PDB file of all heavy atoms in Angstrom:
ATOM      1  N   VAL A 161     -67.702 -51.156  94.770  1.00  0.00           N
ATOM      2  CA  VAL A 161     -66.997 -51.805  93.664  1.00  0.00           C
ATOM      3  C   VAL A 161     -66.332 -50.761  92.776  1.00  0.00           C
ATOM      4  O   VAL A 161     -65.184 -50.918  92.340  1.00  0.00           O
ATOM      5  CB  VAL A 161     -67.971 -52.687  92.841  1.00  0.00           C
ATOM      6  CG1 VAL A 161     -67.272 -53.263  91.604  1.00  0.00           C
ATOM      7  CG2 VAL A 161     -68.538 -53.811  93.697  1.00  0.00           C
ATOM      8  N   ASP A 162     -67.040 -49.658  92.531  1.00  0.00           N
ATOM      9  CA  ASP A 162     -66.462 -48.579  91.726  1.00  0.00           C
ATOM     10  C   ASP A 162     -65.204 -48.018  92.388  1.00  0.00           C
ATOM     11  O   ASP A 162     -64.207 -47.724  91.714  1.00  0.00           O
ATOM     12  CB  ASP A 162     -67.486 -47.448  91.534  1.00  0.00           C
ATOM     13  CG  ASP A 162     -68.660 -47.860  90.665  1.00  0.00           C
ATOM     14  OD1 ASP A 162     -68.533 -48.874  89.943  1.00  0.00           O
ATOM     15  OD2 ASP A 162     -69.694 -47.174  90.695  1.00  0.00           O
ATOM     16  N   GLN A 163     -65.245 -47.875  93.697  1.00  0.00           N
ATOM     17  CA  GLN A 163     -64.092 -47.350  94.422  1.00  0.00           C
ATOM     18  C   GLN A 163     -62.902 -48.307  94.330  1.00  0.00           C
ATOM     19  O   GLN A 163     -61.744 -47.875  94.193  1.00  0.00           O
ATOM     20  CB  GLN A 163     -64.460 -47.095  95.892  1.00  0.00           C
ATOM     21  CG  GLN A 163     -65.511 -46.016  96.100  1.00  0.00           C
ATOM     22  CD  GLN A 163     -64.976 -44.608  95.839  1.00  0.00           C
ATOM     23  OE1 GLN A 163     -63.839 -44.422  95.446  1.00  0.00           O
ATOM     24  NE2 GLN A 163     -65.821 -43.606  96.050  1.00  0.00           N
ATOM     25  N   MET A 164     -63.178 -49.601  94.413  1.00  0.00           N
ATOM     26  CA  MET A 164     -62.110 -50.594  94.260  1.00  0.00           C
ATOM     27  C   MET A 164     -61.477 -50.488  92.878  1.00  0.00           C
ATOM     28  O   MET A 164     -60.246 -50.560  92.731  1.00  0.00           O
ATOM     29  CB  MET A 164     -62.670 -52.008  94.466  1.00  0.00           C
ATOM     30  CG  MET A 164     -63.106 -52.330  95.870  1.00  0.00           C
ATOM     31  SD  MET A 164     -63.730 -54.033  95.980  1.00  0.00           S
ATOM     32  CE  MET A 164     -64.574 -53.987  97.553  1.00  0.00           C
ATOM     33  N   TYR A 165     -62.332 -50.310  91.873  1.00  0.00           N
ATOM     34  CA  TYR A 165     -61.816 -50.187  90.511  1.00  0.00           C
ATOM     35  C   TYR A 165     -60.957 -48.939  90.362  1.00  0.00           C
ATOM     36  O   TYR A 165     -59.878 -48.972  89.771  1.00  0.00           O
ATOM     37  CB  TYR A 165     -62.966 -50.146  89.502  1.00  0.00           C
ATOM     38  CG  TYR A 165     -62.515 -49.699  88.138  1.00  0.00           C
ATOM     39  CD1 TYR A 165     -61.730 -50.523  87.342  1.00  0.00           C
ATOM     40  CD2 TYR A 165     -62.829 -48.421  87.664  1.00  0.00           C
ATOM     41  CE1 TYR A 165     -61.271 -50.101  86.097  1.00  0.00           C
ATOM     42  CE2 TYR A 165     -62.381 -48.000  86.434  1.00  0.00           C
ATOM     43  CZ  TYR A 165     -61.608 -48.841  85.654  1.00  0.00           C
ATOM     44  OH  TYR A 165     -61.147 -48.410  84.428  1.00  0.00           O
ATOM     45  N   ASN A 166     -61.418 -47.826  90.916  1.00  0.00           N
ATOM     46  CA  ASN A 166     -60.656 -46.579  90.825  1.00  0.00           C
ATOM     47  C   ASN A 166     -59.273 -46.723  91.456  1.00  0.00           C
ATOM     48  O   ASN A 166     -58.270 -46.231  90.923  1.00  0.00           O
ATOM     49  CB  ASN A 166     -61.424 -45.441  91.515  1.00  0.00           C
ATOM     50  CG  ASN A 166     -62.670 -45.038  90.756  1.00  0.00           C
ATOM     51  OD1 ASN A 166     -62.791 -45.303  89.569  1.00  0.00           O
ATOM     52  ND2 ASN A 166     -63.620 -44.417  91.446  1.00  0.00           N
ATOM     53  N   ALA A 167     -59.221 -47.410  92.603  1.00  0.00           N
ATOM     54  CA  ALA A 167     -57.943 -47.608  93.287  1.00  0.00           C
ATOM     55  C   ALA A 167     -57.009 -48.455  92.428  1.00  0.00           C
ATOM     56  O   ALA A 167     -55.803 -48.162  92.323  1.00  0.00           O
ATOM     57  CB  ALA A 167     -58.171 -48.269  94.640  1.00  0.00           C
ATOM     58  N   LEU A 168     -57.544 -49.493  91.810  1.00  0.00           N
ATOM     59  CA  LEU A 168     -56.730 -50.347  90.948  1.00  0.00           C
ATOM     60  C   LEU A 168     -56.246 -49.582  89.718  1.00  0.00           C
ATOM     61  O   LEU A 168     -55.092 -49.727  89.291  1.00  0.00           O
ATOM     62  CB  LEU A 168     -57.536 -51.578  90.510  1.00  0.00           C
ATOM     63  CG  LEU A 168     -57.575 -52.728  91.513  1.00  0.00           C
ATOM     64  CD1 LEU A 168     -58.625 -53.748  91.110  1.00  0.00           C
ATOM     65  CD2 LEU A 168     -56.209 -53.387  91.613  1.00  0.00           C
ATOM     66  N   PHE A 169     -57.108 -48.770  89.164  1.00  0.00           N
ATOM     67  CA  PHE A 169     -56.742 -47.990  87.980  1.00  0.00           C
ATOM     68  C   PHE A 169     -55.544 -47.091  88.295  1.00  0.00           C
ATOM     69  O   PHE A 169     -54.571 -47.033  87.525  1.00  0.00           O
ATOM     70  CB  PHE A 169     -57.942 -47.156  87.533  1.00  0.00           C
ATOM     71  CG  PHE A 169     -57.665 -46.262  86.355  1.00  0.00           C
ATOM     72  CD1 PHE A 169     -57.627 -46.774  85.073  1.00  0.00           C
ATOM     73  CD2 PHE A 169     -57.434 -44.903  86.535  1.00  0.00           C
ATOM     74  CE1 PHE A 169     -57.375 -45.954  83.980  1.00  0.00           C
ATOM     75  CE2 PHE A 169     -57.177 -44.074  85.462  1.00  0.00           C
ATOM     76  CZ  PHE A 169     -57.146 -44.601  84.174  1.00  0.00           C
ATOM     77  N   ARG A 170     -55.611 -46.399  89.421  1.00  0.00           N
ATOM     78  CA  ARG A 170     -54.501 -45.530  89.812  1.00  0.00           C
ATOM     79  C   ARG A 170     -53.225 -46.338  90.059  1.00  0.00           C
ATOM     80  O   ARG A 170     -52.126 -45.911  89.711  1.00  0.00           O
ATOM     81  CB  ARG A 170     -54.881 -44.734  91.066  1.00  0.00           C
ATOM     82  CG  ARG A 170     -55.969 -43.682  90.830  1.00  0.00           C
ATOM     83  CD  ARG A 170     -56.105 -42.759  92.027  1.00  0.00           C
ATOM     84  NE  ARG A 170     -56.573 -43.457  93.207  1.00  0.00           N
ATOM     85  CZ  ARG A 170     -57.859 -43.593  93.529  1.00  0.00           C
ATOM     86  NH1 ARG A 170     -58.800 -43.089  92.736  1.00  0.00           N
ATOM     87  NH2 ARG A 170     -58.200 -44.227  94.635  1.00  0.00           N
ATOM     88  N   GLU A 171     -53.399 -47.515  90.641  1.00  0.00           N
ATOM     89  CA  GLU A 171     -52.254 -48.384  90.908  1.00  0.00           C
ATOM     90  C   GLU A 171     -51.580 -48.826  89.611  1.00  0.00           C
ATOM     91  O   GLU A 171     -50.345 -48.819  89.499  1.00  0.00           O
ATOM     92  CB  GLU A 171     -52.720 -49.604  91.708  1.00  0.00           C
ATOM     93  CG  GLU A 171     -51.607 -50.501  92.198  1.00  0.00           C
ATOM     94  CD  GLU A 171     -52.136 -51.614  93.080  1.00  0.00           C
ATOM     95  OE1 GLU A 171     -52.784 -51.307  94.106  1.00  0.00           O
ATOM     96  OE2 GLU A 171     -51.907 -52.790  92.742  1.00  0.00           O
ATOM     97  N   PHE A 172     -52.392 -49.190  88.621  1.00  0.00           N
ATOM     98  CA  PHE A 172     -51.828 -49.628  87.341  1.00  0.00           C
ATOM     99  C   PHE A 172     -51.085 -48.483  86.649  1.00  0.00           C
ATOM    100  O   PHE A 172     -50.028 -48.694  86.040  1.00  0.00           O
ATOM    101  CB  PHE A 172     -52.927 -50.175  86.426  1.00  0.00           C
ATOM    102  CG  PHE A 172     -53.565 -51.442  86.944  1.00  0.00           C
ATOM    103  CD1 PHE A 172     -54.923 -51.680  86.750  1.00  0.00           C
ATOM    104  CD2 PHE A 172     -52.815 -52.382  87.623  1.00  0.00           C
ATOM    105  CE1 PHE A 172     -55.508 -52.837  87.223  1.00  0.00           C
ATOM    106  CE2 PHE A 172     -53.400 -53.552  88.110  1.00  0.00           C
ATOM    107  CZ  PHE A 172     -54.756 -53.774  87.912  1.00  0.00           C
ATOM    108  N   LEU A 173     -51.637 -47.286  86.733  1.00  0.00           N
ATOM    109  CA  LEU A 173     -50.950 -46.135  86.140  1.00  0.00           C
ATOM    110  C   LEU A 173     -49.576 -45.927  86.784  1.00  0.00           C
ATOM    111  O   LEU A 173     -48.584 -45.662  86.095  1.00  0.00           O
ATOM    112  CB  LEU A 173     -51.802 -44.870  86.311  1.00  0.00           C
ATOM    113  CG  LEU A 173     -53.018 -44.713  85.400  1.00  0.00           C
ATOM    114  CD1 LEU A 173     -53.722 -43.392  85.703  1.00  0.00           C
ATOM    115  CD2 LEU A 173     -52.626 -44.762  83.934  1.00  0.00           C
ATOM    116  N   THR A 174     -49.530 -46.080  88.104  1.00  0.00           N
ATOM    117  CA  THR A 174     -48.259 -45.915  88.818  1.00  0.00           C
ATOM    118  C   THR A 174     -47.250 -46.970  88.384  1.00  0.00           C
ATOM    119  O   THR A 174     -46.080 -46.661  88.112  1.00  0.00           O
ATOM    120  CB  THR A 174     -48.491 -46.017  90.339  1.00  0.00           C
ATOM    121  OG1 THR A 174     -49.398 -44.987  90.744  1.00  0.00           O
ATOM    122  CG2 THR A 174     -47.177 -45.859  91.094  1.00  0.00           C
TER     123      THR A 174
END
Side-chain angles (χ1 to χ4, degrees):
V161 175
D162 292 342
Q163 295 288 3
M164 291 181 195
Y165 166 71
N166 290 339
L168 277 168
F169 177 78
R170 291 191 295 270
E171 187 175 302
F172 294 144
L173 284 181
T174 300

